[in-house]
Amino acid sequence: MGEIRSFTEEHAAGAAALYLRVTRGQNRPPTPALVQYFTDIFLRNPWASDDIPSLVYLESGKVAGTLGVIPRQMLFRGRLVRMAVTSQFMVDPEFRRSPAALLLLKKLFAGAQDLSWTDGAADAVHPLWTACGGKPARAYSFQWMRFLRPFGFGQDILARRQNPLLNTLTGWVAKPADALVTCLAGGVLRPPAPAYPAREVSTEDLFACLQEAPGKEPLKPVYEASSFAWLLGEAGKARAAGILRRIV
């Protein structure tokens, strides 16, 4: 029988290796950058707290499951609350029939937060959350995509197979094919023309705009200048998604 522990720096390499096995099907040592990612996101974020920790499931001392947690300060109808934002909810395929996933969720829900929340979870996670008392926010659960560069998108998917020859061939084909399809498809695949003038601003200016226009949603995040800068800094590291631009 395994055990649930709070995530610490000594678990980062095991969590990174588990990520590669579960999401990439790769049984290889993680890169130092991936190990550092788990350390930075779950232990060095601005809201890290011992009473709402990230969690690991250990089987014979080996990381067999993870549930990443980032505490966040939120306002709910004007009242300050703490929310546990979860990600990297994974269990080693070898232990899928064990109670690891259920134990991780139960431990999460026993934390000091007022609200637990996840986004973009796999379909298999839904019944686990509902079994533990969670409720789906169906009005906020829609997903959509608009393909402006369909061949480039396909190239990104194929790149995950790490086949050098295939990556080279798709690299030659993707850009010319996207350019041709964009011309033939008329305006369907072209980026829409902006309706308003815009300019790029600094992180500080963007933070000031958010403070001036907080919105009317009943649940919204509470930002400080330092934590907002950290969030944008981490978002900017995701180069695969493109270049982060701060636009007003």
Side-chain angles (χ1 to χ4, degrees), residues 52-213:
I52 309 179
S54 294
L55 303 170
V56 291
Y57 177 83
L58 301 179
E59 189 72 49
S60 301
K62 172 187 174 183
V63 176
T66 63
L67 180 54
V69 180
I70 298 180
R72 292 292 304 272
Q73 294 284 347
M74 307 288 287
L75 277 178
F76 178 64
R77 295 175 179 169
R79 181 168 63 94
L80 191 65
V81 298
R82 298 176 76 195
M83 182 168 76
V85 181
T86 68
S87 66
Q88 306 298 353
F89 185 21
M90 305 174 291
V91 174
D92 193 303
E94 184 180 346
F95 300 100
R96 290 280 168 83
R97 295 184 180 275
S98 75
L102 196 58
L103 291 175
L104 284 166
L105 271 184
K106 285 186 174 181
K107 184 68 174 178
L108 164 72
F109 292 154
Q113 69 274 13
D114 302 293
L115 172 69
S116 301
W117 178 83
T118 192
D119 181 32
D123 291 339
V125 175
H126 177 256
L128 288 172
W129 272 74
T130 53
C132 292
K135 296 182 182 298
R138 299 196 183 279
Y140 297 94
S141 297
F142 293 100
Q143 292 186 352
W144 58 271
M145 288 185 180
R146 179 174 179 176
F147 295 104
L148 300 178
R149 299 181 182 88
F151 286 92
F153 177 78
Q155 179 190 11
D156 290 341
I157 298 298
L158 292 174
R160 298 179 182 179
R161 298 188 179 185
Q162 295 191 335
N163 184 319
L165 178 59
L166 183 61
N167 291 345
T168 301
L169 291 175
T170 55
W172 288 341
V173 171
K175 286 187 178 181
D178 279 331
L180 179 62
V181 168
T182 300
C183 293
L184 295 178
V188 177
L189 295 178
R190 292 177 185 169
Y196 303 96
R199 63 186 175 90
E200 193 159 1
V201 298
S202 66
T203 297
E204 293 76 14
D205 289 339
L206 187 58
F207 175 72
C209 288
L210 286 178
Q211 301 304 104
E212 294 172 6

